[in-house]
Amino acid sequence: MASMSLALAGLLVVVASLAHLACIVIGARAYRFMGAGERMARAVEAGKLKPTLITLVIGSVLLFWALYAFSGAGLVPRLPLTELALCLISAVFLARAIAFPWLRPSFPENSTTFWLVSSGICLVIGLLYAVGVAALWLAR
């Protein structure tokens, strides 16, 4: 159970990371499509570096978190503090999923669709990490 949950979580996080990185490659149109807001899309069109850096950091962190999921699933060598990292990653995804009503006012440009879809995705991924790490603990 742990390996399946964590492998699926890792796969979904890789897809999320690639979606973020695709925004950098495609440009403002992708930022708009993904619901990042008009201000972010206009900054991309103006050649500002900030949107690219923010997106690159998010995409990189997601890839790192996917690596931990794959580590917990036994698909890659065990990383340091794997179980602790999986707990923290799960908590971040679950907090992001639940906290969107409080986060939304800080990012008024993001669409309602963005908040609902991204929060739903975060909820599913957070639960997969939680189930996976719980299964690891039970397997001890």
Side-chain angles (χ1 to χ4, degrees):
M1 182 63 147
S3 60
M4 188 185 322
S5 294
L6 291 170
L8 182 54
L11 178 63
L12 292 174
V13 173
V14 166
V15 170
S17 174
L18 293 175
H20 280 82
L21 298 175
C23 287
I24 296 170
V25 174
I26 296 168
R29 189 180 78 219
Y31 281 88
R32 283 187 183 98
F33 177 77
M34 299 294 273
E38 192 58 30
R39 188 172 66 183
M40 190 81 124
R42 285 190 185 144
V44 170
E45 288 173 336
K48 305 266 183 191
L49 190 57
K50 187 176 178 181
T52 300
L53 292 176
I54 290 169
T55 307
L56 188 59
V57 167
I58 292 169
S60 299
V61 168
L62 289 172
L63 282 177
F64 187 66
W65 288 358
L67 188 60
Y68 264 95
F70 295 142
S71 175
L75 300 174
V76 300
R78 195 73 161 181
L79 296 172
L81 305 171
T82 295
E83 290 179 6
L84 175 62
L86 293 173
C87 287
L88 295 173
I89 293 165
S90 176
V92 169
F93 275 115
L94 293 172
R96 167 55 184 81
I98 294 166
F100 86 88
W102 298 278
L103 292 170
R104 190 174 180 180
S106 298
F107 302 93
E109 291 274 322
N110 292 9
S111 68
T112 299
T113 301
F114 167 84
W115 285 109
L116 295 175
V117 170
S118 64
S119 296
I121 291 168
C122 287
L123 179 63
V124 168
I125 292 171
L127 290 172
L128 286 169
Y129 272 90
V131 166
V133 76
L136 288 176
W137 288 337
L138 292 173
R140 286 183 182 185

